């Protein structure tokens, strides 16, 4: 058995039941194998891979809070501090009923390589809770966030671990979390990113993941001489990442015809009216099906199936494993030529394989959604300098970072004879920097 296969087998054995974590490790180890094989004796002796797949620390904790009826509720919270070789732990917090240790470990593991690719000094981490913000009052969300932060505050800090948003954690939650951190510690510091603009947030952070995704898609398509203008696009989800992916796609001349939420999807052949989506989702926290009440040209379908809408470009921006092999076959049958992951690991492994084998251009989430965390790192920089850059400055920096990420992925793939395989390129380029830093810092 090769070193990568041995380590993968051990990960499965030592982390039973953690299917998402196994999946993320499997993909990375399979694609960095040529790098490992070239340095096998040294890496084995230093147990490089064994250290890479083991989080530096995981904390899990009880979160008691009182709901609007006076009933005490208890949730479970976590922070996975995966790897600090290149900077303080950095990564989002997810509040969703499905949250468990496996999901947060997969997300934390992915974050190591993503953050490395940004070129900025940030390590990998992720956290969250099995709390469902849906249907909760603002008061309930605030009390939950305060209880969550009361415990989490012991483990984070501006130079230690800097959380941000993810599914179910947006500006409202970050505000409540920040207020409680400040109250407990007395520190007005850049300990969270995605903050409001009046208390240390960065312009463009809200838009950054979606914008960055489309910047990278555009970069790749220009490289392959297939401009985004006039292309039909489907974007799953209708949260933070999806909304700003649609906005940037429209600005660059694409036409988005489908969006979704966990209940179903809309198809609007005239092109999605994003103002209507924003009003439903950002203002009223409503459901995507309400779109058809405002826009008669659109149809709503309950359940899964968004990938059956014919498109040139598919941008999964909702959640892990939402695009399956069957979906990939459907996309291929409809002549889709590009899939780029706005979400983390939205494409199953067999679907990714099918997509790549069938000549569909594919950008993995580690590269494609890195604009969010990159802009978070720019927020950290501004907080440390105690100043705020303009919208244009941040947007230009984001755009340049995404261009650089494309070059890194493209170069790394070429170096190992896998031109056009951006999954391998992203994993190898991300891995090389982290390993270099780990080796230099001794056995830690
Ligand atoms: P939001 O909470 O803003 O939106 C999530 C969207 O995905 C909603 O439309 C939601 O529908 C849908 N969704 C969530 N879970 C499921 C599910 N199990 N099945 C079907 N649909 C689902 O989150 P974000 O937009 O921030 O995050 C989306 C993805 O992007 C995640 O994978 C996240 O990890 C990733 N990401 C986010 C970044 C960020 O900066 N926010 C940065 C990089 C990656 P519903 O409302 O019905 O639940
Ligand atoms: O998955 C991700 O990269 C995020 N949710 C954003 C993390 C961050 O620290 O901005």
């Amino acid at each position: 058995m090769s070193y990568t296969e041995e380590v993968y087998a051990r990960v499965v054995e030592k982390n039973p039941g953690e299917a998402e974590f196994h999946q993320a490790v499997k993909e990375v180890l399979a694609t960095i194998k040529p790098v490992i094989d070239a340095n096998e004796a040294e890496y084995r002796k230093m147990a490089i891979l064994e250290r890479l797949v083991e989080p530096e620390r995981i904390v899990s904790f009880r979160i008691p809070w009182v709901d609007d009826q006076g009933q005490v509720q208890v949730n479970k919270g976590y922070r996975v501090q995966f790897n600090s070789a290149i900077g303080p732990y950095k990564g989002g917090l997810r509040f969703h009923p499905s949250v468990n240790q496996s999901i947060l470990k997969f997300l934390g593991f992915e974050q190591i390589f993503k953050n490395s690719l940004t070129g900025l000094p940030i390590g990998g981490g992720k956290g969250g809770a099995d709390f469902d913000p849906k249907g909760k009052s603002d008061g309930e969300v605030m009390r939950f966030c305060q209880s969550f932060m009361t415990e989490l505050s012991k483990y984070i800090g501006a130079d230690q671990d800097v959380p941000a948003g993810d599914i179910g954690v947006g500006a409202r939650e970050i505000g409540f979390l920040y207020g409680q951190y400040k109250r407990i510690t007395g520190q007005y510091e850049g300990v969270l990113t995605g903050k409001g603009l009046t208390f240390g947030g960065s312009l463009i952070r809200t838009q950054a993941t979606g914008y960055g995704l489309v910047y990278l898609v555009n970069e790749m398509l220009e490289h392959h001489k297939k401009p985004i203008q006039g292309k039909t696009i489907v974007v799953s989800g209708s949260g933070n990442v999806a909304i700003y992916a649609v906005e940037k796609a429209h600005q660059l001349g694409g036409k988005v015809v489908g969006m979704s939420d966990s209940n179903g999807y809309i198809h609007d052949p005239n092109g999605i009216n994003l103002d209507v989506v924003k009003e439903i989702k950002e203002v009223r926290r409503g459901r995507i099906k309400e779109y058809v009440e405002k826009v008669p040209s659109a149809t709503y379908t309950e359940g899964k199936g968004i990938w059956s809408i014919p498109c040139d470009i598919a941008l999964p921006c909702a959640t892990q494993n939402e695009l399956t092999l069957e979906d990939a076959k459907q996309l291929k049958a409809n002549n889709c030529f590009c899939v780029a992951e706005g979400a983390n690991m939205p494409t199953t492994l067999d679907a990714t394989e099918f997509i790549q084998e069938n000549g569909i251009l594919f950008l993995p989430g580690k590269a494609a959604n890195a604009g969010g965390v990159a802009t978070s790192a720019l927020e950290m920089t501004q907080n440390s300098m105690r100043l705020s850059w303009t919208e244009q400055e941040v947007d230009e920096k984001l755009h340049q970072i995404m261009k650089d990420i494309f070059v890194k992925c493209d170069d790394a793939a070429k170096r190992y004879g896998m031109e056009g395989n951006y999954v391998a390129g992203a994993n190898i380029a991300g891995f090389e920097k982290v390993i270099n830093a780990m080796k230099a810092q001794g056995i830690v």
Side-chain angles (χ1 to χ4, degrees):
M1 240 198 275
S2 70
Y3 182 30
T4 49
E5 285 161 348
E6 263 177 45
V7 171
Y8 176 67
R10 204 167 314 145
V11 164
V12 172
E13 187 198 331
K14 298 263 185 197
N15 301 272
E18 297 190 347
E20 295 84 1
F21 179 52
H22 301 169
Q23 183 183 340
V25 171
K26 186 176 191 175
E27 186 216 86
V28 170
L29 291 184
T31 51
I32 63 172
K33 189 167 179 298
V35 189
I36 305 298
D37 288 349
N39 300 280
E40 180 165 345
E42 181 199 2
Y43 285 1
R44 268 187 190 273
K45 185 148 191 248
M46 294 184 70
I48 284 285
L49 293 182
E50 289 85 341
R51 283 191 281 152
L52 191 68
V53 298
E54 190 65 41
E56 289 175 17
R57 184 177 304 102
I58 300 179
V59 289
S60 73
F61 46 90
R62 180 174 73 199
I63 313 158
W65 57 282
V66 184
D67 72 16
D68 286 347
Q69 282 69 48
Q71 173 67 47
V72 175
Q73 302 283 346
V74 182
N75 288 97
K76 190 167 170 109
Y78 305 83
R79 186 72 181 164
V80 179
Q81 298 181 329
F82 221 120
N83 192 301
S84 61
I86 64 175
Y89 309 106
K90 181 85 196 84
L93 296 171
R94 178 175 292 191
F95 292 169
H96 192 271
S98 64
V99 161
N100 59 35
Q101 185 165 295
S102 171
I103 288 177
L104 296 180
K105 279 170 72 179
F106 116 63
L107 289 163
F109 186 69
E110 295 271 298
Q111 201 81 43
I112 303 169
F113 307 95
K114 182 196 305 188
N115 293 3
S116 169
L117 279 175
T118 66
L120 300 167
I122 40 179
K126 199 84 188 189
D130 59 359
F131 171 75
D132 188 358
K134 273 202 205 82
K136 304 289 192 299
S137 68
D138 285 351
E140 289 177 321
V141 171
M142 181 184 75
R143 292 193 293 281
F144 173 80
C145 287
Q146 290 177 339
S147 182
F148 182 84
M149 183 52 85
T150 300
E151 190 59 29
L152 186 70
S153 63
K154 297 167 189 168
Y155 311 103
I156 62 175
D159 292 310
Q160 186 181 356
D161 183 352
V162 183
D166 192 76
I167 291 177
V169 178
R172 174 183 61 170
E173 291 74 20
I174 293 291
F176 293 148
L177 292 163
Y178 191 73
Q180 184 72 352
Y181 179 85
K182 183 161 59 70
R183 185 185 189 195
I184 291 169
T185 63
Q187 301 293 314
Y188 206 107
E189 59 174 26
V191 68
L192 293 170
T193 59
K195 298 185 292 297
L197 297 177
T198 51
F199 56 97
S202 174
L203 287 159
I204 299 293
R205 176 62 190 88
T206 304
Q207 296 87 342
T209 311
Y211 278 19
L213 166 67
V214 178
Y215 286 148
L216 192 72
V217 168
N218 197 39
E219 203 59 28
M220 177 180 71
L221 293 186
E222 282 185 357
H223 185 81
H224 290 271
K225 313 227 171 341
K226 289 182 173 173
I228 206 167
Q229 289 93 328
K231 298 295 183 296
T232 300
I233 304 171
V234 169
V235 178
S236 65
S238 48
N240 174 261
V241 179
I243 285 175
Y244 292 95
V246 174
E247 187 164 286
K248 185 53 73 179
H250 282 169
Q251 284 172 11
L252 297 186
K255 184 180 180 187
V256 180
V257 297
M259 292 184 82
S260 63
D261 61 22
S262 58
N263 292 111
Y265 64 92
I266 52 167
H267 182 196
D268 186 348
N270 292 344
I272 296 284
N273 182 331
L274 197 59
D275 289 338
V276 173
V277 175
K278 283 185 179 178
E279 202 275 324
I280 296 168
K281 288 290 172 183
E282 294 188 328
V283 181
R284 288 194 287 109
R285 298 178 188 276
R287 309 307 300 160
I288 201 69
K289 70 175 170 206
E290 295 163 35
Y291 183 88
V292 296
E293 294 161 18
K294 297 262 163 46
V295 185
S297 61
T299 53
Y300 173 74
T301 309
E302 191 80 12
K304 294 182 193 299
I306 186 168
W307 305 119
S308 65
I309 301 174
C311 65
D312 302 310
I313 299 170
L315 303 178
C317 295
T319 193
Q320 64 274 359
N321 293 328
E322 53 156 312
L323 199 162
T324 64
L325 179 57
E326 285 315 303
D327 297 323
K329 288 180 178 167
Q330 181 102 61
L331 287 169
K332 168 74 186 159
N334 288 337
N335 294 319
C336 167
F337 70 83
C338 168
V339 177
E341 299 185 319
N344 286 304
M345 208 168 77
T347 316
T348 60
L349 287 178
D350 53 1
T352 305
E353 209 171 300
F354 177 87
I355 286 167
Q356 292 186 305
E357 281 172 358
N358 282 276
I360 298 174
L361 294 168
F362 183 80
L363 285 169
K366 281 184 206 81
N369 69 39
V373 75
T375 307
S376 279
L378 300 177
E379 181 172 329
M380 290 164 71
T381 307
Q382 293 167 79
N383 291 164
S384 299
M385 297 196 302
R386 299 191 193 286
L387 52 76
S388 300
W389 292 327
T390 63
E391 192 170 316
Q392 193 190 347
E393 276 177 291
V394 182
D395 196 27
E396 278 171 5
K397 286 184 167 62
L398 167 64
H399 200 158
Q400 190 58 48
I401 289 167
M402 300 315 294
K403 286 179 173 212
D404 293 346
I405 288 177
F406 182 73
V407 172
K408 285 177 202 171
C409 296
D410 194 43
D411 281 355
K414 280 182 187 151
R415 266 193 283 125
Y416 285 89
M418 294 184 279
E419 183 165 358
N421 182 343
Y422 304 116
V423 177
N427 289 336
I428 291 170
F431 172 80
E432 285 176 334
K433 179 177 177 186
V434 174
I435 282 333
N436 190 302
M438 284 176 73
K439 279 166 60 181
Q441 291 172 37
I443 307 306
V444 290

